[in-house]
Amino acid sequence: MKRLLLICLSLLFTFGIMAGCSSESTSGTDDKEGTKDSGEETVTLNLFQFKVEIADQLQEMIKEFEAEHPNIKVKLETVGGGADYGAALKAKFASGEQPDIFNNGGFKELELWKEHLADLSDEPWVEHLLPIGKVPMTDTDGKLYGMPVNLEGYGFVYNKDLFEKAGIKEPPANISELKDAAKKLKDSGITPFSAGYGEWWVIGQHLLNIPFAQQEDPIAFIEGLYDGTEKFTDNEQFKQFKEVLDTEINFGNDNPLTTDYNTQVTQFAAGQTAMLQQGNWTENMIYEVNPDMNMGFLPIPISDDEKADRLPVGVPNNWVLNKNSEHLDEAKMFLEWMVSSDTGKRYLTEEFAFIPAFDNIEASGLGDLGQSILEYSKEEKTIPWTWFRWPDGANKEFAAAIQEYAAGKIDYDTLLERFQKTWDNLK
């Protein structure tokens, strides 16, 4: 009888421990998921983006969003810089790990991804969107599928102090003046250019955009390439492109073909080079290395024409939403918060150093590069970004051909022929 009583007491004690553990686990889940206090289930948004320059600041902004919206968590993943964001995004969709929020460049890229994208035409922020911000993500039916990340521009970022040291009194505005400046810098013991030819997008996209954008009518020229009425080999702007390409290669850093994005920017920020072919997205990275950097923008000129003094300005990318997301409403709420809340606006301008694409966000807190882009824009000295209209994958093949030219493996006529072959094969 005593033995039976001991067994019963032991079982009661064991069940008591199990009940206590079960209660603690349930309570912990409620606290973690935010359901006990709020009565709402916590949802997680997967945000997959490519701008490595703002990854840390974006994570901090997300923390503030989560503090204001305790039932929404945002899981951030960044793939960019030297990595291929487009390929990584396709891999996610192929594996079933589709993000709720991601990036899309618009134009041809919009066509490729449209079946996956939510229509954002009726979102509250649309009424404040600048006209330039609507163009890349608006389809032929007038529906809007993306919210612009920001406005950006690029060119040759230049170190004003090193230019002064070399006796360059006026910033070069055409190809002859750029060559002269490069020679003066070299004669002063200063490496003129930080050339990141190890990155396909630096040369096969941004640099090669210049002869496209300098056409009398860039869109008509691109349409002509598609229908065969235009050729790279016959085009004056592409013949002129050789001048700026050779200038950067001949007056650049050692080993440009193995120089990646981070090395390229760091060289310039550390004062090892006087010019950097990049955009205002590098501002935070440069200031982290050298908070006192005195810099601005120069054009990437291909001629001595007055129109050579232009900066390419456009929408670098757009936030888009997966229309099949289980949390589409929460994803829309996140986008709206970014451009309407005081916190979101502050991060966009002061922390990200972005030029906003909205008329309700004041462009405050910009550094030297952002201000330079604004000045060129106000003076209407801009040219477009055209690569979103190119055939899919052409930019990488263009880059490979430019790398061969930079290595001395092909001549310039062959380079233009390679451009034409790439276009014809992919169009």
Side-chain angles (χ1 to χ4, degrees):
M1 187 68 180
K2 287 183 179 180
R3 179 177 176 80
L4 180 61
L5 182 60
L6 286 171
I7 292 172
C8 290
L9 287 172
S10 176
L11 288 171
L12 284 171
F13 181 71
T14 302
F15 286 136
I17 292 174
M18 291 175 64
C21 291
S22 175
S23 174
E24 183 179 355
S25 175
T26 303
S27 174
T29 301
D30 284 344
D31 290 343
K32 182 177 181 181
E33 299 297 331
T35 57
K36 183 175 182 179
D37 296 330
S38 65
E40 297 180 41
E41 181 182 355
T42 296
V43 303
T44 297
L45 298 175
N46 290 300
L47 192 162
F48 186 59
Q49 70 99 32
F50 83 106
K51 292 191 72 63
V52 295
E53 299 86 1
I54 63 162
D56 293 339
Q57 295 91 335
L58 182 56
Q59 185 62 66
E60 291 303 311
M61 188 188 79
I62 286 171
K63 289 179 182 178
E64 301 218 32
F65 173 80
E66 292 175 337
E68 295 181 28
H69 303 82
N71 299 111
I72 304 175
K73 302 298 179 187
V74 181
K75 182 181 177 182
L76 174 65
E77 184 177 355
T78 298
V79 171
D84 190 336
Y85 176 81
L89 181 61
K90 289 177 182 177
K92 281 194 171 292
F93 271 79
S95 67
E97 299 178 4
Q98 301 181 7
D100 302 285
I101 305 169
F102 54 102
N103 295 134
N104 185 284
F107 300 112
K108 288 289 182 183
E109 202 169 322
L110 168 59
E111 295 177 19
L112 289 172
W113 288 88
K114 185 177 173 182
E115 63 179 299
H116 301 288
L117 307 183
D119 181 1
L120 303 177
S121 305
D122 297 326
E123 291 304 295
W125 47 262
V126 174
E127 66 175 304
H128 296 293
L129 185 55
L130 297 175
I132 190 176
K134 297 180 181 180
V135 177
M137 297 301 296
T138 300
D139 71 357
T140 54
D141 295 327
K143 293 182 179 179
L144 182 69
Y145 288 90
M147 185 178 86
V149 173
N150 62 328
L151 296 179
E152 288 182 345
Y154 69 93
F156 285 130
V157 183
Y158 76 108
N159 184 321
K160 294 182 179 181
D161 295 334
L162 290 183
F163 266 55
E164 183 178 350
K165 182 179 178 181
I168 304 169
K169 302 186 183 303
E170 293 292 332
N174 58 47
I175 188 62
S176 293
E177 292 174 1
L178 181 68
K179 289 180 178 180
D180 184 60
K183 187 175 185 306
K184 286 181 178 178
L185 287 162
K186 187 174 182 179
D187 290 345
S188 299
I190 301 167
T191 302
F193 295 97
S194 185
Y197 279 46
E199 301 285 6
W200 64 266
W201 55 275
V202 173
I203 54 176
Q205 190 162 283
H206 290 176
L207 185 57
L208 193 59
N209 175 64
I210 303 302
F212 279 96
Q214 284 285 9
Q215 303 292 324
E216 191 66 33
D217 186 337
I219 295 176
F221 174 71
I222 290 172
E223 290 174 350
L225 288 173
Y226 278 111
D227 65 27
T229 58
E230 296 282 1
K231 299 288 184 182
F232 290 98
T233 51
D234 300 332
N235 185 262
E236 183 61 28
Q237 283 78 8
F238 274 88
K239 292 176 182 178
Q240 294 172 343
F241 178 62
K242 180 180 188 298
E243 295 299 314
V244 71
L245 188 59
D246 287 351
T247 301
E248 186 174 21
I249 293 170
N250 294 334
F251 289 93
N253 53 291
D254 293 334
N255 305 314
L257 292 173
T258 57
T259 301
D260 62 12
Y261 174 60
N262 287 328
T263 303
Q264 181 196 20
V265 176
T266 302
Q267 282 178 349
F268 174 80
Q272 297 172 10
T273 58
M275 286 179 279
L276 168 73
Q277 184 227 306
Q278 279 295 343
N280 63 299
W281 52 84
T282 61
E283 194 149 46
N284 284 338
M285 295 175 66
I286 293 170
Y287 282 142
E288 284 178 9
V289 176
N290 184 356
D292 299 321
M293 174 68 78
N294 182 19
M295 57 186 171
F297 270 116
L298 303 172
I300 303 176
I302 58 175
S303 71
D304 287 338
D305 191 282
E306 183 182 349
K307 293 181 180 179
D309 188 17
R310 300 284 189 274
L311 292 187
V313 176
V315 176
N317 231 296
N318 304 270
W319 297 113
V320 294
L321 304 183
N322 185 346
K323 72 176 184 181
N324 296 316
S325 168
E326 295 179 0
H327 310 302
L328 186 57
D329 289 340
E330 289 83 0
K332 288 181 177 180
M333 186 184 302
F334 179 75
L335 292 191
E336 168 66 13
W337 180 87
M338 271 205 295
V339 298
S340 64
S341 71
D342 290 339
T343 303
K345 291 177 183 179
R346 176 174 61 81
Y347 269 89
L348 287 174
T349 56
E350 297 180 17
E351 302 299 329
F352 300 170
F354 277 178
I355 302 172
F358 297 86
D359 62 17
N360 64 320
I361 305 177
E362 184 180 352
S364 61
L366 299 178
D368 288 346
L369 300 186
Q371 288 295 338
S372 190
I373 295 294
L374 274 182
E375 290 167 11
Y376 270 86
S377 299
K378 289 176 181 178
E379 294 173 10
E380 298 185 351
K381 295 167 60 175
T382 64
I383 51 178
W385 295 11
T386 67
W387 57 83
F388 294 117
R389 300 179 184 272
W390 303 351
D392 187 37
N395 45 17
K396 292 183 182 178
E397 294 200 19
F398 289 153
I402 292 173
Q403 288 170 336
E404 286 192 54
Y405 175 75
K409 294 181 179 179
I410 58 175
D411 62 20
Y412 194 74
D413 288 340
T414 303
L415 178 62
L416 293 184
E417 291 170 3
R418 289 279 296 275
F419 289 163
Q420 188 65 53
K421 185 178 179 180
T422 292
W423 192 281
D424 291 342
N425 287 341
L426 296 177
K427 69 180 182 179

